Amino acid sequence: MASRSAPPLLWLGLPSALLVALVCWLSTYYSTLVVWEVRKFVPFLAAALVVAACAGLPAWLVRSVAARRSEAGRPGAVRTVGWLGLLVGLGVAAWWITHTDYDQDRTYAGSATVVTGTRLPDLEPRAPYLVGKAQAGPTLGDVSGDISDVTYLPDVNRFATLVERRGWLAGYEVGVTQVIAVEGRGQDAQKCRFDPAADARIGGAFGHNLGRLISERQRWVTFEDSDAYVYCDGDVPKVVVPLKRQVGILVVTERPAGVAVYDGRTGTVTVTTDPKGIPGPTYPISLAKRQREATHGLHGFADWWFERAGWDASDDGANDDNASEFTLNRADHSGPVYVTPLTPPGSASSVVAVSSVPAQHPGRDLAPMTVYRLDPTWASPQAIVARIKADYPDVCCYNQDTVFEVIPTGGDSWVATTGSEQALRYRVVGNGQLQGPEATCLKTADGRPIRCGTKPAAQTPPPVGDPRTLTNEELADLQRRVAEEVSRRLREK
């Protein structure tokens, strides 16, 4: 009697599947990517199983009962039950997936504390991020590379620029940190070059991929490219990569997993959960953003579904390019934070709260997020910008000058900077309600007071003589008078 052989497809498919599984397991990098993506789809896979069960199980039961009763000639009943089960299954699956999103927000929102009557701690102002980003290129000098990232390091009050070396199998070229000058261009730039032996970078090919090196040190963790940055440890560049891990099965969320530090001299990677001594935001800004967005899940499902709960980042056009997660240093130097002005969902544009998340957080749990309710609420950033332009037409905004980033710096204070991306000129501070004698006050870019907008300038004779001999106040007053006279003559034509 001839022996029954296994199908050829089984002989070919099973070893191939085992080989692929073995390769993925041995490759810590690819196995991590596969596990992360599969875990993201677990809720959808569970929903698909629910649909299949709802559609198939009732139909199978009807068919079994009909067969026992010798009523096999009733296929219509089986078909009807199958379709009804499919519709029920699709409804349950849609509810499942939607509620999973709500449960994710609820999980992230569990780290939030909403306080009323507690003042937002004082924060140190900084140069606008867009200015730091714009001045990164001119600071590079003869570096022949491409900018990968610009990050503000509040611990040292510097903007850090990470530059990729050109080439397919190349790593990074140089790290640059600079202090953005309060007037004029950036200054005190420090460059630290990567050694050719340190030839890995984020997104690199094959063995030059920094993600591979990190996976070899710490499996099952990943990161966002935008969270990484560089700093100079003396003349040694070090790339800091805040890490994240996944938790949960049917409701999958992310948690911090420490930081990976890539040494630009030796090419080695170290992973630690203690960010002490590392300048810069070691808590993933992408995770802080996700926590802030999850405030919509602070209340019930109906409020979440109709977007009646939580807050949105203030987005009225004043801070288009950088509207949330401002990285600032606390005035008492107790650590940097991510700060975001918040508005209620809908058409309201007034700032009603400010969220704060530590930018450095040890351990593997979510950093605590505090939402400070403002009482009274603030005018919108767009209204603040309009007030600045109205109060100081002599210094803002003409030619290519503009107002950068209305940033909260305390319980009832904000700061905005005027000038161009290549040269800061003035700083304007004020209160959120735009009320009182110091609703807005003009200062030099380094913080020396000039005048407040609600106090009319004294009617003194215009200063004369060499402009270089004038004080800042006299020069600003002269500029204002000239602008007003030019405007008047143009109107008379």
Side-chain angles (χ1 to χ4, degrees):
M1 184 175 64
S3 60
R4 183 177 299 175
S5 61
L9 184 61
L10 180 61
W11 283 108
L12 295 175
L14 184 59
S16 300
L18 291 175
L19 180 61
V20 170
L22 180 62
V23 170
C24 288
W25 179 257
L26 293 178
S27 171
T28 57
Y29 178 64
Y30 286 113
S31 61
T32 296
L33 294 181
V34 169
V35 168
W36 267 72
E37 294 304 318
V38 169
R39 292 190 68 174
K40 290 179 182 178
F41 281 97
V42 165
F44 297 93
L45 295 175
L49 291 177
V50 169
V51 173
C54 290
L57 185 60
W60 177 79
L61 290 174
V62 171
R63 185 182 293 108
S64 299
V65 172
R68 283 198 297 269
R69 295 180 178 180
S70 299
E71 297 177 351
R74 293 188 178 182
V78 176
R79 188 180 303 111
T80 300
V81 171
W83 279 107
L84 289 175
L86 178 63
L87 292 176
V88 171
L90 290 174
V92 172
W95 177 86
W96 181 301
I97 294 174
T98 302
H99 209 278
T100 296
D101 291 341
Y102 167 67
D103 289 335
Q104 285 180 331
D105 279 359
R106 288 282 294 173
T107 302
Y108 285 115
S111 65
T113 301
V114 182
V115 296
T116 302
T118 301
R119 189 176 184 275
L120 174 70
D122 291 338
L123 305 167
E124 291 184 343
R126 59 155 171 78
Y129 175 78
L130 295 181
V131 175
K133 186 176 180 180
Q135 294 193 20
T139 307
L140 297 181
D142 61 351
V143 175
S144 58
D146 300 313
I147 292 177
S148 170
D149 174 80
V150 178
T151 301
Y152 177 65
L153 311 181
D155 309 60
V156 292
N157 190 27
R158 285 176 172 267
F159 284 87
T161 305
L162 183 59
V163 181
E164 293 181 353
R165 187 188 303 272
R166 296 201 164 196
W168 186 42
L169 300 178
Y172 292 109
E173 174 77 15
V174 69
V176 180
T177 65
Q178 63 172 330
V179 176
I180 299 299
V182 293
E183 292 180 286
R185 298 181 46 76
Q187 60 185 9
D188 192 20
Q190 179 185 8
K191 295 180 183 178
C192 45
R193 293 187 176 273
F194 285 78
D195 192 276
D199 56 359
R201 73 185 187 200
I202 294 175
F206 306 113
H208 303 272
N209 190 322
L210 183 54
R212 287 177 179 268
L213 301 182
I214 294 174
S215 295
E216 292 173 359
R217 297 290 300 174
Q218 183 77 30
R219 205 167 190 170
W220 315 127
V221 299
T222 188
F223 55 87
E224 299 289 337
D225 295 1
S226 57
D227 290 338
Y229 64 92
V230 68
Y231 75 94
C232 293
D233 186 5
D235 61 349
V236 178
K238 293 191 176 180
V239 180
V240 180
V241 185
L243 304 175
K244 297 188 291 185
R245 61 190 178 96
Q246 286 180 323
V247 298
I249 299 176
L250 296 180
V251 179
V252 181
T253 56
E254 296 177 347
R255 296 290 188 278
V259 293
V261 181
Y262 178 61
D263 191 304
R265 177 69 56 79
T266 63
T268 58
V269 173
T270 58
V271 177
T272 178
T273 57
D274 184 5
K276 187 177 180 180
I278 301 176
T282 55
Y283 188 77
I285 191 173
S286 57
L287 193 52
K289 179 181 179 181
R290 184 65 182 88
Q291 290 175 251
R292 171 183 56 79
E293 293 173 340
T295 57
H296 295 291
L298 283 171
H299 300 296
F301 180 80
D303 289 336
W304 175 84
W305 177 258
F306 292 104
E307 297 184 355
R308 296 189 300 236
W311 297 272
D312 296 321
S314 178
D315 185 17
D316 61 1
N319 294 334
D320 274 346
D321 296 316
N322 190 38
S324 63
E325 281 72 53
F326 296 110
T327 308
L328 303 174
N329 205 15
R330 292 188 179 98
D332 60 3
H333 296 279
S334 58
V337 291
Y338 299 122
V339 177
T340 303
L342 303 175
T343 63
S347 301
S349 59
S350 57
V351 176
V352 299
V354 177
S355 67
S356 175
V357 178
Q360 293 179 341
H361 178 68
R364 294 163 58 87
D365 294 324
L366 290 174
M369 178 178 66
T370 306
V371 178
Y372 297 88
R373 288 182 178 272
L374 301 176
D375 185 20
T377 60
W378 291 11
S380 69
Q382 193 173 52
I384 292 175
V385 171
R387 178 63 178 269
I388 291 173
K389 292 180 179 180
D391 284 350
Y392 312 105
D394 52 328
V395 300
C396 180
C397 297
Y398 47 85
N399 296 331
Q400 296 182 348
D401 285 1
T402 186
V403 179
F404 293 102
E405 296 183 350
V406 179
I407 300 176
T409 55
D412 192 31
S413 60
W414 50 262
V415 62
T417 311
T418 70
S420 68
E421 291 182 345
Q422 298 299 332
L424 302 180
R425 301 190 185 280
Y426 298 95
R427 181 179 294 172
V428 182
V429 300
N431 59 59
Q433 299 78 44
L434 297 179
Q435 301 292 327
E438 296 185 352
T440 68
C441 289
L442 181 68
K443 299 184 177 183
T444 59
D446 60 352
R448 290 173 291 166
I450 298 177
R451 70 176 189 272
C452 291
T454 56
K455 296 181 180 179
Q459 300 299 319
T460 56
V464 295
D466 188 345
R468 291 175 295 182
T469 65
L470 303 179
T471 65
N472 291 330
E473 294 79 2
E474 291 173 337
L475 188 60
D477 185 65
L478 178 60
Q479 188 176 24
R480 178 184 60 81
R481 291 171 182 267
V482 170
E484 291 176 351
E485 180 61 19
V486 170
S487 177
R488 183 188 66 78
R489 295 187 183 188
L490 290 175
R491 288 195 302 269
E492 292 177 352
K493 288 186 177 180

